[in-house]
């Protein structure tokens, strides 16, 4: 197919894409039978592979009965059951809470922003109209979510349209810890940056602080230093600001626990989940609202100010419910940590000594390899080399889907712009076999080596 003639608005308008025809386990095939090993679940989405029979059956069954009934008139059984299950797996503070179902991660982040604002209106603090988010974060592409994001090139075209958001530093020890600084000291310093941002907003002004628990596409599967989130929780509590955990990418088991923040020992006020919730079978996302926030809304206006036509969609929720039931029936969460360790070991074995590999990091089945021009200084390849795009192309040519990104950007304290190395993200399905994990690592390493070879060849 010639994409230049395609009526679909693709991401790249002047290149052609293979036509995906069928999914089988962790593989995607085109009409000619050519197959790609999906080692990133697209963008950390397909945690059950592409044709899980249990999920497909549940979707067929629900579609045969009722796909959609407007949420202003009717409740539906799949969304009620899914909300109950999600709240039961959330921290204690979510007892008496509520779940808002939407269609995408951006929509859910947008809704979380609005829920935080509505909460403060309900409890009589209308002055809390400002937000804090971190440098190098990605929270989605709708205007509110994009305003929270700290991704300069994605923000740039829309900069005049974005609300002003106070910035806290990223928690990214690999790049931002000082020489000789302990993890504890770095965690405290990074968290102190939130305090500075709250102070800049002024007392009683911040509605919420938003952060990815494990940073995803922008930083490349980067967990925070130990102790960081515990301090964040204390700082938010002292200010009064709500804490929104963006687990669109890292949640729903991707890091080895239902919610990635479980491993940090903290509980947010609003939890945003998406990708692994519908696992690609359904476009669905959710905001889990704590008992305190939902309770204030019930006791106040008792109205959600931010309705959407497709919220609580019966078919979407039936698919997501089946995903959750499958993860539990097949005990798939128990596979994530050991399979992730296997992937990490394979990557280190194959690439650990490579002079252009700056870091191999991640948690559970959420892993990234950072590529640098100089391993000693961490200097990235020039953006003009387009290394991430080359890795993507080499991956596809070698029968692999991975998720490469150009390195995140930040400003040094002296004002000079800096950039991390390009990285590729691997987020295989929880149903992957060890052999598939090894094959994913081998194909990813092949794509990296070929891409590096082309970049070096140009030097
Ligand atoms: C952490 C995070 N938040 C929000 C989003 C936006 O989700 P969506 O692309 O489904 O709108 C993404 C997408 O990659 C993400 O990684």
């Amino acid at each position: 197919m010639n994409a230049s003639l395609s009526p679909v608005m693709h991401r790249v308008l002047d290149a052609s894409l293979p036509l995906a025809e069928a999914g089988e386990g962790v593989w995607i095939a085109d009409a000619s039978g050519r197959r790609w090993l999906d080692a990133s679940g697209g963008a950390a989405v397909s945690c059950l592979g592409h044709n899980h029979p249990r999920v497909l059956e549940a979707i067929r069954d629900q579609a045969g009965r009722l796909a959609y009934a407007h949420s202003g008139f009717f409740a539906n059984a799949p969304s009620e059951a899914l909300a109950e299950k999600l709240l039961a797996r959330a921290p204690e503070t979510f007892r008496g809470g509520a779940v808002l179902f939407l269609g995408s991660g951006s929509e859910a982040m947008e809704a979380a922003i609005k829920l935080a604002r509505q909460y403060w209106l309900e409890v009589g603090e209308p002055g809390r109209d400002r937000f804090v988010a971190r440098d190098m974060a990605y929270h989605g592409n709708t205007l509110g979510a994009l305003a929270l994001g700290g991704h300069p090139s994605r923000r740039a075209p829309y900069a005049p349209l974005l609300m002003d958001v106070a910035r806290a530093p990223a928690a990214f020890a690999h790049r931002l810890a000082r020489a000789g600084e302990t993890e504890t000291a770095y965690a405290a310093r990074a968290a102190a940056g939130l305090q500075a941002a709250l102070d800049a907003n002024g007392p009683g002004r911040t509605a919420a602080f938003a952060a990815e628990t494990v940073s995803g596409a922008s930083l490349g599967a980067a967990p925070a230093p130990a102790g960081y989130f515990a301090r964040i929780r204390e700082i938010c509590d002292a200010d009064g600001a709500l804490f929104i955990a963006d687990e669109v990418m890292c949640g729903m088991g991707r890091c080895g626990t239902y919610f990635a923040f479980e491993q940090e020992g903290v509980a947010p006020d609003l939890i945003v989940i998406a990708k692994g919730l519908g696992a690609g079978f359904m476009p669905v996302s959710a905001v889990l609202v704590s008992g305190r926030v939902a309770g204030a809304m019930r006791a106040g206006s008792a109205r959600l100010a931010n309705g959407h036509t497709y919220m609580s969609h019966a078919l979407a929720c039936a698919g997501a419910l089946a995903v959750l039931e499958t993860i539990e029936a097949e005990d798939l969460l128990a596979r994530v940590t050991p399979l992730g360790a296997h992937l990490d070991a394979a990557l280190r074995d194959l690439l650990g000594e490579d002079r252009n590999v700056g870091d191999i990091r991640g948690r559970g089945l959420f892993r990234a390899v950072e590529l640098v021009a100089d391993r000693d200084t961490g200097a990235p390849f020039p953006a003009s080399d387009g290394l991430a795009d080359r890795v993507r192309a080499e991956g596809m040519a070698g029968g692999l889907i991975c998720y490469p990104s150009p390195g995140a950007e930040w400003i040094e304290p002296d004002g000079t712009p800096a950039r991390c190395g390009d990285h590729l993200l691997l987020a295989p399905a929880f149903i992957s076999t060890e052999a598939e994990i090894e094959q994913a690592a081998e194909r990813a390493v092949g794509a990296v080596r070929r891409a590096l070879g082309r970049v070096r060849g140009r030097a």
Side-chain angles (χ1 to χ4, degrees):
M1 183 177 92
N2 184 344
S4 62
L5 298 178
S6 171
V8 175
M9 178 72 79
H10 291 286
R11 289 161 191 257
V12 177
L13 277 66
D14 60 355
S16 63
L17 294 168
L19 202 59
E21 178 86 0
E24 193 191 330
V26 297
W27 299 85
I28 290 181
D30 72 5
S32 75
R34 190 162 172 221
R35 301 204 313 161
W36 289 266
L37 174 59
D38 186 0
S40 58
V45 170
S46 304
C47 59
L48 299 183
H50 291 282
N51 65 338
H52 199 291
R54 185 183 181 124
V55 182
L56 297 182
E57 184 54 37
I59 291 171
R60 273 188 216 107
D61 181 55
Q62 183 63 38
R65 284 183 290 129
L66 174 77
Y68 168 74
H70 191 279
S71 59
F73 302 95
F74 294 102
N76 64 69
S79 66
E80 298 292 328
L82 181 58
E84 194 176 316
K85 271 189 187 287
L86 289 169
L87 289 175
R89 282 147 190 79
E92 198 61 35
T93 46
F94 284 73
R95 303 294 167 268
V99 185
L100 175 59
F101 291 109
L102 297 153
S104 71
S106 301
E107 244 184 310
M109 278 306 294
E110 203 76 22
I113 293 169
K114 290 184 174 167
L115 280 165
R117 172 67 183 153
Q118 185 176 347
Y119 170 75
W120 291 113
L121 292 176
E122 300 283 5
V123 299
E125 289 199 47
R128 288 194 183 265
D129 57 2
R130 292 195 45 84
F131 288 81
V132 180
R134 300 188 299 182
D135 296 334
M136 302 185 236
Y138 183 62
H139 293 295
N141 259 334
T142 50
L143 290 177
L146 192 62
L148 294 185
H151 198 292
S153 49
R154 290 194 200 223
R155 291 170 56 97
Y158 311 102
L161 313 182
L162 302 180
M163 68 173 167
D164 181 36
V165 169
R167 303 238 70 92
F172 187 34
H174 171 63
R175 286 282 170 171
L176 302 178
R178 294 176 182 141
E181 193 173 31
T182 63
E183 186 171 2
T184 312
Y186 172 62
R189 184 164 64 83
L194 169 61
Q195 186 63 61
L198 292 168
D199 292 346
N201 276 348
R205 289 300 310 279
T206 302
F209 166 63
E212 297 160 82
T213 319
V214 175
S215 296
S218 174
L219 284 183
Y228 169 82
F229 275 110
R231 185 69 194 118
I232 288 298
R233 183 70 265 187
E234 288 171 358
I235 292 171
C236 285
D237 286 345
D239 179 272
L242 301 178
F243 169 29
I244 302 171
D246 180 349
E247 299 224 347
V248 166
M249 211 178 221
C250 64
M252 292 316 290
R254 177 60 51 203
C255 293
T257 42
Y258 271 118
F259 302 106
F261 60 73
E262 289 171 46
Q263 298 174 50
E264 310 295 339
V266 295
D269 300 294
L270 298 168
I271 307 166
V272 182
I273 50 177
K275 297 175 187 265
L277 178 63
F281 295 100
M282 280 289 152
V284 58
S285 62
V287 187
L288 277 65
V289 181
S290 64
R292 168 187 160 202
V293 174
M297 289 172 66
R298 288 187 190 111
S301 70
R303 295 286 180 279
L304 172 68
N306 175 44
H308 288 253
T309 297
Y310 283 137
M311 56 191 265
S312 305
H313 193 276
L315 189 55
C317 290
L321 182 61
V323 169
L324 194 55
E325 286 171 349
T326 301
I327 288 174
E328 295 186 348
E330 298 183 12
D331 199 17
L332 293 177
L333 267 195
R335 294 172 61 80
V336 173
T337 300
L339 277 179
H342 197 62
L343 176 59
D344 184 64
L347 291 170
R348 283 179 200 281
D349 189 37
L350 295 166
L351 273 182
E353 300 306 316
D354 194 296
R355 68 186 159 101
N356 293 120
V357 171
D359 195 25
I360 298 172
R361 57 177 171 257
R363 200 170 265 178
L365 280 172
F366 195 35
R367 301 277 160 182
V369 177
E370 182 177 334
L371 303 172
V372 291
D374 183 331
R375 191 179 170 125
D376 296 329
T377 63
F381 284 94
S384 56
D385 279 346
L387 184 56
D389 282 342
R390 289 173 189 273
V391 173
R392 184 193 316 273
E394 293 295 344
M396 285 295 279
L400 174 84
I401 299 161
C402 61
Y403 197 61
S405 298
E409 301 154 26
W410 76 96
I411 308 292
E412 293 285 11
D414 67 4
T416 45
R419 201 171 72 84
C420 298
D422 303 70
H423 66 255
L424 71 148
L425 208 58
L426 295 175
F430 308 168
I431 56 151
S432 306
T433 62
E434 284 200 357
E436 285 164 342
I437 292 287
E438 285 155 23
Q439 211 176 352
E442 281 157 19
R443 289 189 183 197
V445 169
V448 163
R449 293 231 161 94
R450 290 192 299 278
L452 285 171
R454 289 187 187 278
V455 168
R456 287 179 193 135
R458 281 157 47 94

